[in-house]
Amino acid sequence: MGILGLVTEVICNRGSFRMARTRESRRSPHGYNIFSSTQERSTTSNNAPLCVRQQHTSSESADGYYGSLYPGHIPTTVLQKALLAVGSGVAALQNPYRHDMVAVLGETTGYPALIQLRNRMRDDPEGDIILTERPRIRLSTLDLNKMASLPDGSFGREYLRFLDDNKVTPDSRADVKFVDDEELAYVMQRYREVHDLLHTILGMPTNMLGEVAVKWFEAAQTGLPMCVLGATLGPLRLSSSRLGALFSSLGPWALQNGRGARCVLSIFYERRWEQSLEDLRGELGIQPPPLLGRASP
């Protein structure tokens, strides 16, 4: 077992111990799922907050959530977060496609940036609705048949084409565990689930050049340390031809649009599948990607 696995096991065990102690001293009759989507909230009582789904469950399942800020949350100290950040950072550098390690790195280093993103969402009318309703982008919340019937050039049809062409699924995004604020945890979750939508909007594939370009955009847009790290070190894995394409046209385009675009977390994408991709780019203030010649891998 590597150092990251060992640290994660210790933290998970400690988190389970804390929750077990809390359950012994106090018991809650309800569990709360802050990440419930609009589609999943049909059983919400009229008196409950819009962003919270009250689950009338057995005491056993409710106890599983009690004592943590949200389902799956693992309380960690500053030292534990630092150890996780170092271990996940090393693992992510060795293999940038280790999305689990990238996720841990983002959660343990992103607190100040998440506050800024949350505030930007609050200041945007559409972003504020998202913070209230907490939508999720999952296969269970997508109407794939309807999206497939949309015309070419529509946002929903192009997003579905991106998923098919790259053999990816929105369900591959890990749930947040180490963010010690339930609203900021949702902001991080939203960022993860919007990532593939950004690939579609930016017209970037999931190869290394496309991922680096998206990371340059996200670094300028979000300020998340993991995005900055990926934008800085990602080019080291590119061939000379792709490196030239990145620095000559794709990188400057990504940085300029990342700085100037509207906050990408403040768009209720689930209500915009029928909108044309071109119109959505214009609304966000994102220019179409530059045309690039074929570059060797």
Side-chain angles (χ1 to χ4, degrees), residues 10-276:
V10 170
I11 290 175
C12 290
N13 289 339
R14 179 171 178 176
S16 299
F17 174 71
R18 286 179 177 174
M19 293 174 65
R21 280 203 317 179
T22 305
R23 289 197 296 269
E24 288 296 322
S25 59
R26 298 174 62 184
R27 293 189 177 273
S28 170
H30 305 298
Y32 295 95
N33 186 349
I34 65 163
F35 291 139
S36 62
S37 67
T38 303
Q39 295 93 327
E40 298 169 331
R41 203 160 37 239
S42 58
T43 59
T44 306
S45 67
N46 293 331
N47 295 326
L50 185 61
C51 61
V52 177
R53 178 163 59 93
Q54 189 172 4
Q55 300 172 314
H56 297 277
T57 60
S58 67
S59 60
E60 180 179 358
S61 62
D63 287 344
Y65 291 157
Y66 192 78
S68 61
L69 294 173
Y70 49 85
H73 173 241
I74 299 175
T76 49
T77 65
V78 174
L79 177 59
Q80 289 169 332
K81 281 186 172 62
L83 291 173
L84 279 171
V86 172
S88 61
V90 171
L93 287 176
Q94 292 175 342
N95 183 0
Y97 291 103
R98 283 292 303 273
H99 298 297
D100 55 340
M101 297 297 96
V102 175
V104 173
L105 179 63
E107 293 176 32
T108 53
T109 62
Y111 187 77
L114 288 173
I115 292 177
Q116 295 297 320
L117 286 170
R118 188 268 314 276
N119 292 343
R120 291 178 67 185
M121 293 178 72
R122 283 181 176 176
D123 291 340
D124 185 292
E126 193 170 355
D128 193 51
I129 293 175
I130 293 170
L131 285 176
T132 300
E133 296 193 11
R134 309 286 176 89
R136 296 292 303 273
I137 302 173
R138 316 286 289 179
L139 287 178
S140 61
T141 66
L142 299 178
D143 188 339
L144 300 181
N145 291 329
K146 181 178 180 180
M147 294 170 70
S149 69
L150 294 174
D152 291 341
S154 64
F155 176 51
R157 184 67 188 88
E158 297 307 318
Y159 172 57
L160 186 60
R161 179 174 287 113
F162 167 84
L163 295 179
D164 290 340
D165 290 347
N166 294 280
K167 303 297 187 293
V168 295
T169 167
D171 289 357
S172 64
R173 299 300 169 186
D175 290 334
V176 175
K177 296 181 177 67
F178 299 109
V179 177
D180 296 330
D181 180 287
E182 59 88 18
E183 188 173 45
L184 297 184
Y186 175 75
V187 174
M188 175 60 80
Q189 193 72 47
R190 186 66 175 177
Y191 157 76
R192 285 182 187 163
E193 294 178 5
V194 164
H195 178 79
D196 286 340
L197 301 181
L198 273 183
H199 272 275
T200 304
I201 294 170
L202 298 174
M204 291 294 107
T206 57
N207 59 23
M208 185 56 67
L209 179 60
E211 290 290 353
V212 172
V214 172
K215 276 291 174 282
W216 281 36
F217 178 94
E218 290 178 337
Q221 166 83 192
T222 70
L224 286 167
M226 69 169 181
C227 296
V228 175
L229 184 65
T232 302
L233 300 179
L236 299 178
R237 290 183 167 267
L238 296 176
S239 65
S240 58
S241 60
R242 291 194 171 189
L243 199 59
L246 177 69
F247 285 113
S248 65
S249 58
L250 201 55
W253 165 82
L255 290 175
Q256 180 181 355
N257 283 274
R259 294 191 192 103
R262 177 181 171 186
C263 179
V264 295
L265 300 187
S266 295
I267 301 296
F268 213 133
Y269 298 102
E270 296 88 335
R271 298 177 179 176
R272 294 169 174 266
W273 300 129
E274 298 180 5
Q275 185 175 357
S276 75

